[in-house]
Amino acid sequence: MAQSYNPYYNEYHQNLELQQNIKYKKKYRKLKRIVKDTVLENAALCDQVAQMQENLLVVKEERHFLLRKLYQQQGEVDPTMLTKSQTNSFGSPSPNHEGVAPKKSVKKRNSTEALETKSKPKRYCKAMRRVVQLIPLDIHGRPVFPISLGDLTVYSLGEVVSDRIAYHTEDLIYPVGYCSTRMFASLRDAHTKSLYTCKILDGGSNPRFEIVSDSDPDQPLVGLSPDECHSRLLAAISPTLCSIPPRGADFFGISHPTIQNLIQSSPGTRKLANYKSVRFEVYKNQNSDRASSPIAEEETDPGLGFSALHRTFAIPNGYRIKEEPPDPNLLTFQDFLM
């Protein structure tokens, strides 16, 4: 009798095991689906976090840029001192709630305040302040290119190179990719105007400066400094202009207060070892300081302005750049074609 129930008993156990296996398989698939969805959701959240971090960096840069512009327009605080004060405020300990500080710290603060009051008039005196002109900005506070400043037009500010010391001095910064144009006397005819393109390129350990004329684009004037390029340009226009002292930085436009202020506000200027930041003020009254403006200097400097050049120097009419004689074989070939 017991033997007759054995097949049914075994079959029951087998069905029970199959049902349990099916149940566990369903749970496994469900857990696998949950893990997969969790991984995908985690990846999406990581992407969102990375995007938010990039947005925060952009907003932080825009905030610093707008703060610099605000303080420059007010003409009260140097923009470089703003960032220093912010970093010092983050790293300095919080004061006591009672407003009482130790005596030693009071003595140190008094000494440092005395040093700052002595050094501030020397570094930020009125004679060293330079006036910038108002230029159009976009909704993010960035300048709108091209920037027209009289005969000078700037198309790109380039990028500040902070890891090579030859790309800046105490007074100027040579950003790679800087591009500007200026109207000046032509190389072929000094009595006509020509458009010159000024570029600052990456030359390795030293920057490469170029001045290219639209009348002769295949022969750029190259130099290791802006003054070298400017002196070569003056000598190429006429030998009588060699007596003019070169002002390459002014010809390129990198010493123009408006352009220098924009370059000084670019990322990477804090890492420059030798450059000393300059305090700028907004050029509010354009009629009162007309004589001291950079555009007025272009009208009076023969090395920068076309009209000032001809008011100061009498360049011969017959002066031309020496050209190579035509090839006779080429002339016969042209006659044969015609």
Side-chain angles (χ1 to χ4, degrees):
M1 190 71 178
Q3 293 179 356
S4 60
Y5 285 106
N6 286 334
Y8 297 102
Y9 183 76
N10 294 333
E11 186 177 355
Y12 171 75
H13 278 284
Q14 290 178 358
N15 293 332
L16 185 61
E17 290 178 358
L18 288 174
Q19 289 178 0
Q20 289 179 353
N21 291 335
I22 293 171
K23 182 180 179 181
Y24 288 129
K25 283 183 179 179
K26 288 181 179 180
K27 289 184 177 181
Y28 169 74
R29 290 173 183 173
K30 186 177 180 181
L31 289 174
K32 189 176 180 181
R33 193 183 305 112
I34 292 173
V35 170
K36 185 177 181 181
D37 294 340
T38 305
V39 170
L40 294 176
E41 185 178 358
N42 186 25
L45 290 175
C46 289
D47 293 338
Q48 290 182 1
V49 169
Q51 185 66 31
M52 290 299 295
Q53 288 178 350
E54 292 180 0
N55 294 336
L56 285 174
L57 290 176
V58 173
V59 171
K60 190 180 291 184
E61 291 180 359
E62 292 178 355
R63 174 176 170 272
H64 287 304
F65 180 80
L66 292 176
L67 281 175
R68 291 194 205 100
K69 290 296 179 184
L70 176 62
Y71 281 108
Q72 287 168 9
Q73 289 185 1
Q74 292 178 350
E76 296 176 354
V77 181
D78 183 45
T80 56
M81 297 298 295
L82 173 65
T83 55
K84 291 181 181 179
S85 63
Q86 289 178 351
T87 53
N88 292 334
S89 63
F90 287 121
S92 60
S94 60
N96 296 330
H97 294 285
E98 299 177 358
V100 179
K103 294 182 179 180
K104 293 183 179 179
S105 61
V106 172
K107 291 182 180 179
K108 289 182 180 179
R109 286 180 183 176
N110 292 333
S111 62
T112 54
E113 287 176 0
L115 290 174
E116 287 178 0
T117 53
K118 291 181 181 178
S119 61
K120 276 185 180 178
K122 294 181 180 179
R123 187 171 183 181
Y124 301 107
C125 60
K126 292 184 178 179
M128 294 183 66
R129 294 177 182 175
R130 304 187 66 186
V131 180
V132 300
Q133 301 178 14
L134 294 176
I135 59 174
L137 304 175
D138 59 7
I139 58 175
H140 300 290
R142 300 187 182 94
V144 178
F145 293 97
I147 302 173
S148 298
L149 301 168
D151 291 339
L152 175 68
T153 304
V154 179
Y155 292 90
S156 175
L157 296 177
E159 295 181 359
V160 177
V161 180
S162 58
D163 57 347
R164 282 171 279 183
I165 198 168
Y167 284 76
H168 71 277
T169 61
E170 291 186 358
D171 304 322
L172 296 172
I173 301 174
Y174 305 136
V176 173
Y178 176 85
C179 180
S180 64
T181 58
R182 181 183 288 276
M183 297 297 297
F184 199 60
S186 175
L187 290 172
R188 298 187 178 275
D189 186 2
H191 294 83
T192 60
K193 289 185 178 181
S194 179
L195 185 66
Y196 290 90
T197 303
C198 307
K199 297 180 181 179
I200 301 178
L201 306 176
D202 191 348
S205 58
N206 294 310
R208 174 187 171 95
F209 299 89
E210 286 187 2
I211 298 178
V212 184
S213 173
D214 60 348
S215 60
D216 198 0
D218 296 331
Q219 294 183 357
L221 301 172
V222 184
L224 296 178
S225 66
D227 290 341
E228 184 179 353
C229 286
H230 193 211
S231 61
R232 289 185 179 181
L233 173 63
L234 296 174
I237 293 174
S238 175
T240 58
L241 304 183
C242 294
S243 60
I244 300 177
R247 296 181 59 180
D250 296 329
F251 193 87
F252 274 71
I254 54 178
S255 62
H256 193 287
T258 304
I259 304 303
Q260 188 177 0
N261 180 32
L262 294 175
I263 297 174
Q264 181 176 286
S265 303
S266 301
T269 54
R270 302 177 192 175
K271 301 178 182 178
L272 301 179
N274 299 327
Y275 180 73
K276 295 181 180 179
S277 59
V278 184
R279 180 175 180 177
F280 296 95
E281 292 182 358
V282 180
Y283 194 48
K284 296 179 180 179
N285 192 358
Q286 299 184 1
N287 296 324
S288 61
D289 297 336
R290 170 73 177 170
S292 61
S293 64
I295 297 178
E297 292 183 3
E298 294 178 1
E299 297 175 355
T300 57
D301 195 327
L304 301 177
F306 178 79
S307 59
L309 175 65
H310 288 279
R311 284 197 304 266
T312 309
F313 291 89
I315 302 175
N317 292 328
Y319 180 76
R320 296 288 189 277
I321 290 180
K322 184 179 179 181
E323 298 182 357
E324 295 182 356
D327 191 358
N329 297 326
L330 181 60
L331 292 177
T332 56
F333 180 70
Q334 291 178 351
D335 296 336
F336 174 75
L337 292 177
M338 295 178 63

